[in-house]
Amino acid sequence: MKLHEYQAKGIFADAGLPVPESKLAATTDEVLEAASEVGYPVAIKAQVQVGGRGKAGGIKLVENDEEAREAADAILGMDLKGLHVDRVLVEEAVDFVNELYVGVTMDRNEGKPVAMVSTQGGVNIEEVAAENPDAIAREHVDPAFGLQPYQARRAVFDAGVDRDVAMDVANVLTTLYNLWDDKDATEIEVNPVMVTSDDEVVCADAVMNIDDDALFRHADLAEMEDEAAGDELEAKANEYGFDYVRLSGNVGIIGNGAGLVMTTLDLVDYFGGEPANFLDIGGGAKAERVANALDMVFSDENVDSVVFNIFGGITRGDEVAKGINEALESFDEIPKKVVVRLAGTNAEEGMEILNTDLVTVESTLEDAVQRAVEYAEDEQ
């Protein structure tokens, strides 16, 4: 479950983290009232769960009522990377001289939580990890003992954080780890942690994702679930019973089994594409379930092509083929190009059933992914 920024900041504030004063608003009049209470200058920030809000026009810094009204009118109701903006956070602006990244997640390669600090805050941390991995200081944590004070200090100093604010940043990291552990989070981060000219440390953003399977232990967080859902497609996935995560790319991915879907995501990236989603239809999927999966991916405006990767075990290739045919034949015009790779149980029967006028069929996963990436590039 992904929390909105304002929800995560409420939890951060309760834990003693320094966050700017802010108020939630759903109309232009509420924005003006909130800005007056907080005091100009303020940042008006779209409350949708996507990265890159600022570059997409979803965050604006304003100095007065006129600018606030103009920003509110522009942001409220806008479509931001496929998500409708119906609320904004009106937040005290921070006059900063430096931006840092601080976060905690699970390192599945090591089988341990990892606490991270970087002086390259304010930008996509995935890009930093890919282009300059040494810019991120990491400390793996034994969950039996938690993040030790010396580990937090070491991560901060290894990252090159200025000594004047190093202990404050270490305290932020320690608090984030404790929240990650206490709240059964899968990911928690602040990007950026802003440092002011007076050496004050401020958590200017907040990301917090909770393990759905742990919500029975957290009634307070479970109450936030409906509000946090935000994404209509993810809500739809819950209704269908799919494991689904919306991503920022344009190649839609459908598979059966988490490992198979993750392999497909990696191959899309390897061949130069960007995955639009993770969608696992599960084992033993019948025709109706496959049709529902296609309906979901087609509903994502960011998707330019779709790759189906099905390996038949419990799931039968002929059932998958029926579902694909049923879904596609319901359209007067196929909205996205679809590439299919079938293997395993009844794959040959499925290949015979598939309407090849509606889909492109490839015999290997690599060929299927490459073709889907090419189709997506052609749409750009």
Side-chain angles (χ1 to χ4, degrees), residues 33 56 115 126 132 155 160 164 176 188 196 204 211 264 270 279 281 290 333 343 355 363 365 380:
E33 182 180 349
E126 286 80 8
N132 187 13
D164 291 337
L176 287 182
I188 189 167
T196 72
D211 187 341
T264 313
Y270 178 79
L279 202 169
I281 62 175
V290 175
E333 182 178 348
N355 184 343
S363 59
L365 175 56
Q380 297 302 299

mmCIF file of all heavy atoms in Angstrom, residues 33 56 115 126 132 155 160 164 176 188 196 204 211 264 270 279 281 290 333 343 355 363 365 380:
data_model
loop_
_atom_site.group_PDB
_atom_site.id
_atom_site.type_symbol
_atom_site.label_atom_id
_atom_site.label_comp_id
_atom_site.label_asym_id
_atom_site.label_seq_id
_atom_site.Cartn_x
_atom_site.Cartn_y
_atom_site.Cartn_z
ATOM 1 N N GLU A 33 -6.846 29.693 1.291
ATOM 2 C CA GLU A 33 -6.991 29.736 2.752
ATOM 3 C C GLU A 33 -5.798 29.076 3.429
ATOM 4 O O GLU A 33 -5.240 29.605 4.407
ATOM 5 C CB GLU A 33 -8.283 29.033 3.152
ATOM 6 C CG GLU A 33 -8.548 29.057 4.648
ATOM 7 C CD GLU A 33 -9.847 28.359 5.026
ATOM 8 O OE1 GLU A 33 -10.645 28.042 4.110
ATOM 9 O OE2 GLU A 33 -10.062 28.119 6.236
ATOM 10 N N ALA A 56 6.796 17.474 -14.253
ATOM 11 C CA ALA A 56 5.535 17.338 -14.977
ATOM 12 C C ALA A 56 4.558 18.467 -14.681
ATOM 13 O O ALA A 56 3.426 18.455 -15.165
ATOM 14 C CB ALA A 56 4.884 15.996 -14.643
ATOM 15 N N ALA A 115 20.044 0.711 4.724
ATOM 16 C CA ALA A 115 19.861 2.140 4.969
ATOM 17 C C ALA A 115 20.787 2.899 4.039
ATOM 18 O O ALA A 115 21.961 2.537 3.890
ATOM 19 C CB ALA A 115 20.167 2.467 6.432
ATOM 20 N N GLU A 126 17.095 6.322 -8.488
ATOM 21 C CA GLU A 126 17.404 5.182 -9.359
ATOM 22 C C GLU A 126 18.437 5.585 -10.413
ATOM 23 O O GLU A 126 19.315 4.799 -10.771
ATOM 24 C CB GLU A 126 16.137 4.645 -10.028
ATOM 25 C CG GLU A 126 15.216 3.859 -9.110
ATOM 26 C CD GLU A 126 14.351 4.753 -8.232
ATOM 27 O OE1 GLU A 126 14.365 5.986 -8.456
ATOM 28 O OE2 GLU A 126 13.663 4.223 -7.346
ATOM 29 N N ASN A 132 25.952 6.585 -10.976
ATOM 30 C CA ASN A 132 27.055 6.844 -10.048
ATOM 31 C C ASN A 132 26.778 6.142 -8.722
ATOM 32 O O ASN A 132 26.510 6.793 -7.706
ATOM 33 C CB ASN A 132 27.205 8.359 -9.835
ATOM 34 C CG ASN A 132 28.428 8.709 -9.018
ATOM 35 O OD1 ASN A 132 29.315 7.874 -8.799
ATOM 36 N ND2 ASN A 132 28.479 9.940 -8.529
ATOM 37 N N ALA A 155 27.143 5.773 7.669
ATOM 38 C CA ALA A 155 26.487 6.006 6.378
ATOM 39 C C ALA A 155 26.517 7.487 6.022
ATOM 40 O O ALA A 155 26.778 7.867 4.873
ATOM 41 C CB ALA A 155 25.047 5.498 6.425
ATOM 42 N N GLY A 160 29.493 11.721 2.661
ATOM 43 C CA GLY A 160 30.110 13.039 2.511
ATOM 44 C C GLY A 160 29.234 14.179 2.989
ATOM 45 O O GLY A 160 29.431 15.329 2.575
ATOM 46 N N ASP A 164 28.510 19.721 10.002
ATOM 47 C CA ASP A 164 27.632 20.581 10.793
ATOM 48 C C ASP A 164 26.221 20.009 10.910
ATOM 49 O O ASP A 164 25.485 20.342 11.852
ATOM 50 C CB ASP A 164 27.568 21.978 10.173
ATOM 51 C CG ASP A 164 28.886 22.730 10.309
ATOM 52 O OD1 ASP A 164 29.664 22.380 11.228
ATOM 53 O OD2 ASP A 164 29.131 23.651 9.510
ATOM 54 N N LEU A 176 13.832 6.908 10.374
ATOM 55 C CA LEU A 176 13.232 6.255 9.210
ATOM 56 C C LEU A 176 13.341 4.737 9.324
ATOM 57 O O LEU A 176 12.388 4.013 9.016
ATOM 58 C CB LEU A 176 13.907 6.726 7.925
ATOM 59 C CG LEU A 176 13.601 8.147 7.459
ATOM 60 C CD1 LEU A 176 14.316 8.428 6.140
ATOM 61 C CD2 LEU A 176 12.101 8.379 7.286
ATOM 62 N N ILE A 188 10.828 3.309 2.507
ATOM 63 C CA ILE A 188 10.593 4.589 3.162
ATOM 64 C C ILE A 188 11.755 5.509 2.797
ATOM 65 O O ILE A 188 12.915 5.096 2.821
ATOM 66 C CB ILE A 188 10.460 4.411 4.700
ATOM 67 C CG1 ILE A 188 10.001 5.697 5.371
ATOM 68 C CG2 ILE A 188 11.749 3.899 5.318
ATOM 69 C CD1 ILE A 188 9.563 5.491 6.819
ATOM 70 N N THR A 196 19.153 23.971 5.316
ATOM 71 C CA THR A 196 19.035 25.419 5.172
ATOM 72 C C THR A 196 20.370 26.100 5.467
ATOM 73 O O THR A 196 21.324 25.475 5.951
ATOM 74 C CB THR A 196 17.971 25.982 6.135
ATOM 75 O OG1 THR A 196 18.474 25.925 7.477
ATOM 76 C CG2 THR A 196 16.678 25.190 6.040
ATOM 77 N N ALA A 204 11.612 17.434 3.345
ATOM 78 C CA ALA A 204 10.755 18.171 2.419
ATOM 79 C C ALA A 204 9.880 17.268 1.564
ATOM 80 O O ALA A 204 9.003 17.757 0.846
ATOM 81 C CB ALA A 204 11.605 19.061 1.526
ATOM 82 N N ASP A 211 3.671 -2.998 3.547
ATOM 83 C CA ASP A 211 3.376 -4.365 3.122
ATOM 84 C C ASP A 211 1.885 -4.646 3.350
ATOM 85 O O ASP A 211 1.403 -4.612 4.481
ATOM 86 C CB ASP A 211 4.234 -5.346 3.930
ATOM 87 C CG ASP A 211 4.117 -6.779 3.430
ATOM 88 O OD1 ASP A 211 3.133 -7.089 2.723
ATOM 89 O OD2 ASP A 211 5.001 -7.590 3.758
ATOM 90 N N THR A 264 10.627 -10.471 -17.330
ATOM 91 C CA THR A 264 10.171 -9.694 -18.485
ATOM 92 C C THR A 264 10.481 -8.221 -18.297
ATOM 93 O O THR A 264 10.923 -7.535 -19.232
ATOM 94 C CB THR A 264 8.661 -9.908 -18.707
ATOM 95 O OG1 THR A 264 8.361 -11.303 -18.649
ATOM 96 C CG2 THR A 264 8.231 -9.367 -20.055
ATOM 97 N N TYR A 270 16.591 -4.138 -20.457
ATOM 98 C CA TYR A 270 17.819 -4.553 -21.145
ATOM 99 C C TYR A 270 17.795 -4.164 -22.621
ATOM 100 O O TYR A 270 18.814 -3.746 -23.181
ATOM 101 C CB TYR A 270 18.000 -6.061 -21.005
ATOM 102 C CG TYR A 270 19.204 -6.614 -21.722
ATOM 103 C CD1 TYR A 270 20.486 -6.496 -21.181
ATOM 104 C CD2 TYR A 270 19.070 -7.266 -22.952
ATOM 105 C CE1 TYR A 270 21.603 -7.007 -21.846
ATOM 106 C CE2 TYR A 270 20.176 -7.773 -23.621
ATOM 107 C CZ TYR A 270 21.436 -7.644 -23.064
ATOM 108 O OH TYR A 270 22.527 -8.143 -23.722
ATOM 109 N N LEU A 279 2.324 -6.895 -13.849
ATOM 110 C CA LEU A 279 0.998 -7.504 -13.739
ATOM 111 C C LEU A 279 1.141 -9.019 -13.801
ATOM 112 O O LEU A 279 1.490 -9.587 -14.837
ATOM 113 C CB LEU A 279 0.058 -7.022 -14.854
ATOM 114 C CG LEU A 279 -1.454 -7.147 -14.560
ATOM 115 C CD1 LEU A 279 -2.279 -6.406 -15.599
ATOM 116 C CD2 LEU A 279 -1.928 -8.585 -14.476
ATOM 117 N N ILE A 281 -0.925 -12.403 -13.527
ATOM 118 C CA ILE A 281 -2.292 -12.925 -13.549
ATOM 119 C C ILE A 281 -2.427 -14.198 -12.728
ATOM 120 O O ILE A 281 -3.530 -14.695 -12.517
ATOM 121 C CB ILE A 281 -2.784 -13.181 -14.989
ATOM 122 C CG1 ILE A 281 -1.921 -14.239 -15.694
ATOM 123 C CG2 ILE A 281 -2.795 -11.891 -15.780
ATOM 124 C CD1 ILE A 281 -2.432 -14.608 -17.072
ATOM 125 N N VAL A 290 -7.617 -13.491 -18.151
ATOM 126 C CA VAL A 290 -6.679 -12.932 -19.120
ATOM 127 C C VAL A 290 -7.281 -11.701 -19.792
ATOM 128 O O VAL A 290 -6.606 -10.686 -20.004
ATOM 129 C CB VAL A 290 -6.297 -13.989 -20.171
ATOM 130 C CG1 VAL A 290 -5.414 -13.385 -21.248
ATOM 131 C CG2 VAL A 290 -5.591 -15.156 -19.502
ATOM 132 N N GLU A 333 -11.155 -1.477 -32.985
ATOM 133 C CA GLU A 333 -9.763 -1.256 -33.371
ATOM 134 C C GLU A 333 -8.887 -1.530 -32.161
ATOM 135 O O GLU A 333 -9.154 -1.024 -31.068
ATOM 136 C CB GLU A 333 -9.565 0.195 -33.838
ATOM 137 C CG GLU A 333 -8.152 0.492 -34.302
ATOM 138 C CD GLU A 333 -8.006 1.919 -34.800
ATOM 139 O OE1 GLU A 333 -9.050 2.580 -34.994
ATOM 140 O OE2 GLU A 333 -6.860 2.371 -34.968
ATOM 141 N N ALA A 343 4.580 -20.691 -23.905
ATOM 142 C CA ALA A 343 5.422 -21.877 -23.780
ATOM 143 C C ALA A 343 4.805 -22.770 -22.703
ATOM 144 O O ALA A 343 3.981 -22.328 -21.901
ATOM 145 C CB ALA A 343 6.852 -21.491 -23.412
ATOM 146 N N ASN A 355 -5.557 -15.568 -32.662
ATOM 147 C CA ASN A 355 -5.889 -14.835 -33.881
ATOM 148 C C ASN A 355 -4.698 -13.957 -34.231
ATOM 149 O O ASN A 355 -4.525 -12.869 -33.679
ATOM 150 C CB ASN A 355 -7.147 -13.989 -33.662
ATOM 151 C CG ASN A 355 -7.604 -13.284 -34.919
ATOM 152 O OD1 ASN A 355 -6.846 -13.159 -35.884
ATOM 153 N ND2 ASN A 355 -8.840 -12.808 -34.928
ATOM 154 N N SER A 363 8.382 -16.741 -30.830
ATOM 155 C CA SER A 363 8.645 -18.055 -30.232
ATOM 156 C C SER A 363 9.494 -17.982 -28.976
ATOM 157 O O SER A 363 9.451 -18.870 -28.133
ATOM 158 C CB SER A 363 9.324 -18.967 -31.259
ATOM 159 O OG SER A 363 10.543 -18.383 -31.711
ATOM 160 N N LEU A 365 11.107 -15.508 -25.600
ATOM 161 C CA LEU A 365 10.826 -14.337 -24.765
ATOM 162 C C LEU A 365 11.649 -13.140 -25.236
ATOM 163 O O LEU A 365 11.147 -12.014 -25.293
ATOM 164 C CB LEU A 365 11.135 -14.650 -23.300
ATOM 165 C CG LEU A 365 10.999 -13.489 -22.316
ATOM 166 C CD1 LEU A 365 9.610 -12.879 -22.374
ATOM 167 C CD2 LEU A 365 11.327 -13.955 -20.898
ATOM 168 N N GLN A 380 6.364 6.724 -30.318
ATOM 169 C CA GLN A 380 6.876 7.964 -29.708
ATOM 170 C C GLN A 380 6.996 9.078 -30.735
ATOM 171 O O GLN A 380 7.198 8.849 -31.906
ATOM 172 C CB GLN A 380 8.237 7.693 -29.047
ATOM 173 C CG GLN A 380 8.163 6.703 -27.916
ATOM 174 C CD GLN A 380 7.211 7.122 -26.824
ATOM 175 O OE1 GLN A 380 7.399 8.177 -26.200
ATOM 176 N NE2 GLN A 380 6.168 6.348 -26.570
#
